[in-house]
Structure formats: C-alpha cells, structure tokens
Amino acid sequence: MTTEEADSGTDTSTNQAFVEVASLADLASEGQAVVSEGGHAIALFHYGGEVYAVDNRCPHMGFPLTRGSIDDGVLTCHWHHARFELAEGDTFDIWADDVQTFPVEVRDDAVYLDPDPEPDVPPAIRWRNRLADGLQENLSLVLAKSVLGLHKHAGNGSGTASRASSEDGGGAGTGGDIRGDGNEAEEDSAFRTTIETAVNFGTRYRDSGWGRGLTTLGCTASLYHQVGERDKRRALFMGARDVAADCADEPPRFQQYAFDNRDVSKERLKEWFRDNCEVRDADGAERVLLTAIATLPREDVAEMLFAAATDHLYMNASHTLDFINTAFETLEHVGWDSEAHSASDRASGEQREPRADHADAVLASTVNQLTDATRSEELSSWRQPVDIADLCFDAADRLPDLVTAGEGETWNEPSSFVETLLGDDPEAIIDALTRAIAAGASTTELADAVGRAATRRVAYFATNNEFSDWNTVHHTFTYANAVHRATAKTDATELYRGCFDGAMSVYLDRFLNSPRAPLPDPGDSDRDPVAIRAELLDTFDEQGKVNRAATLVSEHFDVCESIDSQARRASSDVAGGDPADLKRTLGRGLVREDAGFHTIQNVEAAFQRFDAVDDPLEKRLALMAPARYMAAHFPTRRETEQTFSIATRLQQGERLHEVE
Ligand code: FES
C-alpha cells in the first residue's frame, strides 16, 4: 500500500477496496464492534484469535448480530435463535438465510475489510434459489423476501426502490412499500422467474398433480397485470405461498414419457386419451398426452383435454375443466418450452424436434383431475327429482346434427335468453341451448351467455342461505367462465357440452337466488370516484357489508357513465373514475387479506368476465358479483399481509426489533 493509499485508508493494490475500520487491539479487547461502511452496519468479531466481519442485520428479521453470541464457531442471533457458521455466514436454519460476510485483513495493528465484495452468485440468481428454498420448506417469509428480491434485482441486478405514490401507494398498515423503477423488462423478468420457479416446483412435488396451489398461482399471474403497482408483488407472493402450502408434506410426482412413435394421428391420440381417462388410467392417459404435446398443434392438445374434461358431467364439481383452463393460461405466462432448452437449441443451431418442457410438466400434471374426478352423473342431485344428467347426455348425442344445422347461420341471441337460463325448467333450458346451436350459436357465444347467467347467481346470491353456498354459486361461475375461456383455445364442438353442464349447474343453484339479492339500478352520481373506492375498501373491514359493496360498485359505474369520457379525461377533478381503477381497488382489497383459493379464483374470473362482455349492465354485474363475494368473506386475520409487510420493511432496512 502506498503512503497516499494508506493516508486515504483505501488499498488499491488489489481489486478489492479494503478500508481500515478498527484497531485490532481495541477489537481484541472488546470482542466485537459495529462499523458502518458502504451503507452497511457491519459486525466485527474477534474470536479464537481471528477477526470476522458479517452484516450486523440478521438475515431473518434484522436483529443486530452483535447482540447475539458465539460458541464453538457458531454465531447465534438472540431474537429467534438462528445460527450461522461464523467464517462464511452459512446458516444452520434454512428459514433464516445465510448472513453476508465481508473479507477481512489485519495489517500491523489495524483491521481492514472490503465492504462491497463481489457476490458469489448474482442477486437475481440468489433470490431465485431462495424462492425455491421457500417453496421446498413452505416458508412464507422467505417467499415474500424472494419475490421482493427478484423484483429489486431483476435484469442486471440493478433494481431500484422508491416509495409508491398516489392511490397505489403507502398505507393500509403496511409501513409503506417498495416498487420498481418502472423498468418493464425487469418487472417482466421478475414476474416470469417467480411464476416459472413456482410452476416447476408445483408440478414436480405433488404426486396428485395440478391442484388448488397451482390454480391460485395461475390466477394471481393473471391478476398481476390488473392490480395496482404495489400489489403486483403481493399477488405473486400469494400464488407462490399457495403452491408451497399445497405441496407441503406431499410425495413427489414422477412424470411419464411420450411414445417413441411420433406418427400417430390426432384422431387416434384423442381417442386413446379419452379411453384411458374413461377407465381412470392416469399413466396411460399421460403418455398419450405427452405424445400429443410433442407432435400436435397446441389447439389440438387443447381439444383433447377439453373433450376429456366434458366426457362426464361437471367433473369434480367444476374443478377439472376450470383447473385445466388455468393450466393452459399459466402456460401463456411461462411459455410452452423452458428458456434453458430454447437457448440450447438456438446455440446448437441444430434442427431438433420441438421440446415443450413447461407444457409437458403443466399439462401432464392435470391428468389426475380427469382420471380421479367425481362425475356429476353419479350424484343424486343430477338425477333426482329431474334427471338433468340424461338431458345433458341426450343433448350431447344430438350435437352432430345441431352443429350441421347451424353451419353458415348467424345466431341472434333472444332478449330473454339469459332469463331462460335462470329459470326453473331444465328441459326448457336445454331446449333453448340446443335451438341456439342449430341457429348457429358458436361455442364462444353460448358459453358467454351461460357465463352471464352464472355471474347473476353470484351477484344475486341471497344472504339468507348457508354461508358455504357462496361456493356453490362460485363453482358454477368459475366453471362457466372457464368454458368460455376454453373456447378461445380450441373450437372443439365438445365444449357445447360444457355449456350444457354449466347451464344445468346454474339451474341447480336457483334456490340460492331466492329471493334475489337487491341490486341497485344504474343511476346518476356526482360523488368523487376516489371516495367511492375508499369506502368500498372500508366495507371489507367489516363483516356482512355484502349489499353495500355492490351498491358502491354500482355507484362507481354511475359516476363513470354519467360523465362524458372526454370530459372525464380532461378534468382532474374526476380523474381515476375508470373501471380499471375499480378493478385495482378490488385487487387491493383481495391481496391485503388471507384470501382463500376460491376468493382469488372468484376475483380473477370476474375480471375476465368484465373484459369479455360489452354491455354496460353486464360489466356492472361482473364487478358487483366479486365485490359481494369478497365482502362476505372479509375481513380476515391478514396474516399474509403481515408477512409481506415484514419482508418489505426488511428490504427497506427498517429496524423491526425496535418497533412495538
Ligand atoms: S433469528 Fe435473527 S432476527 Fe430472527
């Protein structure tokens, strides 16, 4: 070190910028010290004749490690007793994370350290690995930290943090929030890494395959782009958390292999697949499906799966078709093939058979939903007092003729069509549906009509029913929405059967709308939409504000529709009155609660219905329905928010142990 370097306290003779931080004699005398360098509080320990430097913030929840103790080379934090190997910082307790260490040198009687050492692995990789740890060990705080870490360090590890602002930011008892700097590519990278890591884990480590955890993940991935900026990470955290919980203590899944014969026709593969599902042979069905993924266009794979999902009635009380649809939509977020394989194929320059690692894992994991499903024709409610199962099967048998009759025709939906679907005559309902097909109604048009009827079952749900029946109408609603979404993935005529099943479930739910809940008619309002949204959030703080929540949603639409859109954009007084803001408020209400699987599904499906319909009244109903459902289920204990808040404050460097 030169005299000048020694004077400045900086050693430039190596690549490491060592700085003098303490006297060795003083440190040896005290045993420990805290120094501040490079923005870190760094703990120095003199132990066993050696000097060690570690981040003074315990990686678990930030407690000062100089207030811990060292025994036998193990540093123990005194808050929750996490233990760390002193030299390299490795933890014995996976929930706590490794503590960062700093290189130290002793020169003469002075201690030098490098406050900014090169990390062993890039931060984005470190947080991805940590996310995997959190999934494996089912550790909510680790998951929350990882989602935040991935967003902060996406891209080149240069993520930035700033306070959220406006309606999107601050508050809600969270102690503030961290958000990215608006770099969309980095946000997308963090989003995709989180979803991909959770999908890879969830499809491998649950023997029974795709379940509620991965469905929640798929829903939160969809909600990510519709909630406010500060709630995006909460949404991903909720998804990852549910995957971890759903896989906890489950045996792993072993995936089958595609057939070597790649020259099997679509028709034969489809028949084999359905035959194997019919006899509940999961392994056989999976091998056929993997062969189809390797050889057929995606829409043909979708046709196979949705055909099998409608070979029996309303399978698994809606979940089979709904989960398969969500699996396809999750693939839209992560892609059919993994980036690792895409990159290796590009690098090799070879023409290879396309590989679809994600599609293989995701779609194969749904097979048990088909082979193990309850078939609603087995239920007495579908057989007595009216055999509605037979009505569905008869209508399905007539499909070829109905579709032929409808070719080239354009269906004009009768004005009373949805009310017919809401009626109490199942034969009239099936008759209306089959007439529509013969008149040219597409699967998308018919599924949309059933979806509008099913939306009303939630929107009109009478609160004098048993509370658990919220989920009865919820299942019908998400099933109908999933059938509609499925029609965008394949034009398979088998999806008409999904319309029959959905309509019969709407029929079975009729008593849950007796009497219909009072919904406000469209009107005028000059209230500030921001105040309406604030009050809507407030309704979720109290139990039972079901009808008030719907009224506020309706009033928000009143404001939007009573003001000319151009004037609305021009006037700052009423800015923010768009339904997109209302969605963000509902999203805010959702992610701050310990929202269950069904509630998350309900909101996601409602947002999809909102986007699917054009009629203003239908759009109102699409958002009034989830507002009522949410108000019925909120408030919760908000433990999830507490965990996320802790992770956020730790990332911001707050001292949690000093806050009451
Ligand atoms: S163990 Fe150190 S803060 Fe919890």
Side-chain angles (χ1 to χ4, degrees), residues 30 60-61 80 191 259 289 311 313 376 457 505 574 644 658:
E30 295 295 323
H60 177 229
M61 285 179 63
H80 309 96
F191 167 77
F259 294 147
L289 178 60
D311 275 340
L313 306 182
S376 283
R457 287 292 187 234
S505 191
V574 291
F644 193 84
E658 292 180 355

Side-chain angles (χ1 to χ4, degrees), residues 49-364:
E50 301 287 337
V51 177
Y52 302 92
V54 305
D55 190 335
N56 195 38
R57 285 169 59 80
C58 174
H60 177 229
M61 285 179 63
F63 194 70
L65 287 173
T66 44
R67 287 162 65 178
S69 55
I70 302 172
D71 183 33
D72 202 19
V74 177
L75 169 62
T76 299
C77 174
H78 280 199
W79 199 358
H80 309 96
H81 311 129
R83 298 156 300 156
F84 308 93
E85 188 280 316
L86 187 56
E88 298 294 337
D90 296 327
T91 187
F92 293 77
D93 301 291
I94 196 77
W95 45 266
D97 205 352
D98 299 337
V99 67
Q100 185 181 357
T101 58
F102 299 88
V104 172
E105 288 183 8
V106 176
R107 301 173 192 168
D108 301 327
D109 189 36
V111 176
Y112 288 75
L113 65 77
D114 176 0
D116 193 21
E118 195 67 30
D120 294 339
V121 292
I125 303 293
R126 173 178 130 67
W127 284 115
R128 188 194 65 192
N129 293 342
R130 211 46 199 138
L131 180 68
D133 287 343
L135 289 161
Q136 186 175 315
E137 303 291 331
N138 191 19
L139 298 168
S140 289
L141 182 56
V142 173
L143 292 170
K145 288 178 185 175
S146 303
V147 169
L148 290 170
L150 279 168
H151 279 79
K152 183 176 181 182
H153 297 289
N156 297 319
S158 57
T160 58
S162 63
R163 289 277 176 177
S165 61
S166 74
E167 190 181 358
D168 229 16
T174 67
D177 203 352
I178 289 180
R179 56 181 292 181
D181 62 356
N183 184 325
E184 228 171 274
E186 291 186 2
E187 287 277 339
D188 284 351
S189 168
F191 167 77
R192 184 184 157 115
T193 300
T194 305
I195 299 295
E196 186 175 39
T197 304
V199 164
N200 288 342
F201 181 84
T203 52
R204 272 184 211 150
Y205 293 105
R206 190 170 185 270
D207 183 39
S208 51
W210 190 281
R212 56 201 300 159
L214 283 165
T215 301
T216 301
L217 181 78
C219 291
T220 54
S222 168
L223 288 167
Y224 181 87
H225 299 288
Q226 304 204 57
V227 298
E229 193 63 36
R230 71 169 169 153
D231 290 328
K232 290 180 185 299
R233 285 147 223 198
R234 284 180 172 80
L236 289 185
F237 166 51
M238 292 171 88
R241 177 205 62 186
D242 277 15
V243 170
D246 208 22
C247 294
D249 303 323
E250 290 283 330
R253 207 182 96 73
F254 297 100
Q255 190 171 300
Q256 296 297 325
Y257 300 91
F259 294 147
D260 288 336
N261 183 357
R262 302 303 167 94
D263 198 23
V264 186
S265 70
K266 168 193 161 185
E267 289 70 27
R268 178 159 289 178
L269 287 170
K270 183 177 174 183
E271 188 179 326
W272 284 350
F273 183 65
R274 294 166 75 179
D275 286 349
N276 277 276
C277 291
E278 179 64 32
V279 297
R280 302 184 185 271
D281 181 344
D283 288 346
E286 189 173 328
R287 293 204 70 181
V288 177
L289 178 60
L290 290 168
T291 308
I293 293 168
T295 58
L296 299 181
R298 295 174 187 184
E299 58 268 26
D300 289 345
V301 176
E303 178 179 327
M304 273 177 58
L305 276 159
F306 287 117
T310 52
D311 275 340
H312 293 277
L313 306 182
Y314 201 60
M315 292 163 73
N316 265 351
S318 81
H319 287 143
T320 295
L321 191 144
D322 194 1
F323 284 11
I324 290 171
N325 178 63
T326 305
F328 272 104
E329 298 195 345
T330 304
L331 282 176
E332 291 171 13
H333 296 297
V334 296
W336 275 49
D337 55 346
S338 71
E339 281 196 340
H341 274 168
S342 301
S344 70
D345 288 351
R346 278 196 301 275
S348 72
E350 291 177 25
Q351 190 71 30
R352 298 188 191 180
E353 182 178 87
R355 288 183 287 189
D357 307 32
H358 288 152
D360 285 352
V362 166
L363 298 181

